[in-house]
Amino acid sequence: MDLLNTEPALFTGLVFLFGLLVGSFLNVVIHRLPKMMEAEWRAQCAELSGETLVEAPHPEGRKRYNLWLPRSACTQCGHQITALENIPLLSWLWLRGRCSACSTSISARYPLVELLTALLSAAAAWKWGASVQTGGALLLVWALVALAFIDLDTTLLPDSLTLPLVWLGLLFNLGGHFASLPDAVIGAMAGYGILWSVYWLFKLATGKEGMGFGDFKLLSAIGAWLGWQMLPVTLLLSSVVGAAIGVSMVVLVKHDRRVPIPFGPYLAGGGLVALFFGADLTQAYLAQF
C-alpha cells in the first residue's frame, strides 16, 4: 500500500487495467441480466396462470443461463469466444470488429464500455489514491455504467442493482467517506421522494407516466452514496442534458414522441459528474453569491 500511495501513476495504471476486465464483465451483465429477468417473469406468469412447466424458460434456448454460464459466443453463428478473443479492447481491435468464425460485425459498443469503465476507474484511482474512497467510488462507477446501458437498451433499471446500491451507499457512509450518515440517509429519502413527486404531479396533470420507478431508486442510490447536497447537481445536469438530447432527437431524427426516452443514462451521468466534480461545482455556484 505504501508503494501504491507513493506511486500514484502505478496505482492508476493498475486500476485502469483492472477496469478493462470489469468493463468486459459489465458487457455480460448489460446483455444477460435483462434476459434473465424476462425469463424469470415468464416463469412467474406461468406459475400464476396455473401452467405446468417442466423447467423455467431460458433465454437463447440455453439450459443454464446466468452471468457465468454459458460462455460468451457469437450471436450469429454460436462460435464460443476463446480466451485470446476475449482480451478486453485488444481482441476487438485484433479481430477488426468481426467474429473469427463467420465475420459477423461485433458492435463497437463492447470495447467502448470496457474503455469507459477503465477510464472512469482510473480517474477514481487518481483522485483518491489507494484509499477506501477509491474502493467505494469504483463500486458506484461500475454500477452506474451497467445501469446506464441496461436502461438505454431496455428502458429498465433492475431492482437487483438499484436496491443493493442504495444499501451499499448507506453502509459505505457509516464511515462518512463521501457524506455523513445523516446526509446519506436524507439523500436516499430525498432522491426517491423528489422524482416520486414529479412522477405523480406529471401523471395527475397529463394522465400519463413521465418516468419509471427505477429512476426513483437510482436517484435514491446516488443520494445514499453522495449525500443530499449532490442531488441538485445531479438533477440539474441530467435534466438539462436529457432535455437537450430529447429535443434534438425529435427535431433532427424525427424521434416518435410516443416512444419513451430512458432517463437512467442521464441520471447516471449526472451522478458520475457529481462524484468527481460535485463539490467543486457547488462551491463555484455558491461563490457567485
Side-chain angles (χ1 to χ4, degrees):
M1 292 296 292
D2 291 338
L3 175 62
L4 295 178
N5 280 318
T6 56
E7 297 291 342
L10 173 62
F11 179 61
T12 301
L14 291 174
V15 172
F16 177 86
L17 294 177
F18 185 66
L20 287 175
L21 296 174
V22 174
S24 180
F25 177 69
L26 291 185
N27 276 320
V28 176
V29 174
I30 292 164
H31 176 73
R32 295 192 182 189
L33 185 56
K35 294 179 180 292
M36 292 162 56
M37 293 167 58
E38 183 180 355
E40 184 179 355
W41 294 336
R42 288 180 177 176
Q44 291 173 351
C45 289
E47 182 179 354
L48 290 172
S49 63
E51 296 179 14
T52 302
L53 290 178
V54 177
E55 60 181 29
H58 293 277
E60 301 178 5
R62 308 300 180 92
K63 290 186 176 181
R64 299 186 65 183
Y65 191 89
N66 51 45
L67 297 180
W68 317 104
L69 295 171
R71 286 173 49 189
S72 298
C74 174
T75 57
Q76 184 68 26
C77 69
H79 166 70
Q80 285 196 337
I81 307 301
T82 66
L84 288 177
E85 295 171 342
N86 206 28
I87 301 173
L89 195 60
L90 296 179
S91 289
W92 189 87
L93 295 172
W94 173 58
L95 293 169
R96 298 181 181 179
R98 294 188 176 277
C99 171
S100 62
C102 66
S103 297
T104 297
S105 295
I106 302 172
S107 174
R109 202 180 76 175
Y110 293 112
L112 287 177
V113 168
E114 294 167 353
L115 182 59
L116 175 64
T117 305
L119 289 173
L120 290 172
S121 300
W126 184 261
K127 182 176 178 66
W128 287 287
S131 65
V132 175
Q133 284 90 339
T134 295
L138 291 177
L139 288 175
L140 180 58
V141 163
W142 299 339
L144 290 179
V145 170
L147 286 164
F149 282 97
I150 289 174
D151 197 27
L152 193 64
D153 287 344
T154 65
T155 66
L156 295 173
L157 289 168
D159 285 351
S160 56
L161 293 180
T162 55
L163 295 182
L165 195 61
V166 175
W167 295 112
L168 281 173
L170 295 176
L171 180 64
F172 185 74
N173 281 320
L174 282 175
H177 298 296
F178 286 139
S180 68
L181 183 58
D183 287 345
V185 172
I186 295 172
M189 296 169 60
Y192 191 95
I194 289 170
L195 291 188
W196 180 87
S197 302
V198 171
Y199 168 89
W200 279 107
L201 288 172
F202 185 83
K203 188 171 185 178
L204 290 172
T206 66
K208 300 177 181 178
E209 296 183 353
M211 64 181 66
F213 279 46
D215 296 319
F216 314 164
K217 299 164 192 172
L218 176 54
L219 188 59
S220 177
I222 292 171
W225 277 90
L226 305 181
W228 64 268
Q229 296 90 339
M230 293 299 105
L231 292 179
V233 173
T234 302
L235 280 172
L236 179 62
L237 289 171
S238 57
S239 299
V240 170
V241 175
I245 293 178
V247 170
S248 300
M249 290 176 65
V250 171
V251 174
L252 299 178
V253 299
K254 307 302 180 184
H255 179 81
D256 190 345
R257 297 184 182 184
R258 295 170 296 180
V259 178
I261 298 174
F263 190 44
Y266 306 115
L267 281 176
L272 288 170
V273 173
L275 171 65
F276 289 106
F277 308 110
D280 295 333
L281 291 173
T282 301
Q283 284 187 345
Y285 176 76
L286 293 176
Q288 303 300 316
F289 304 95

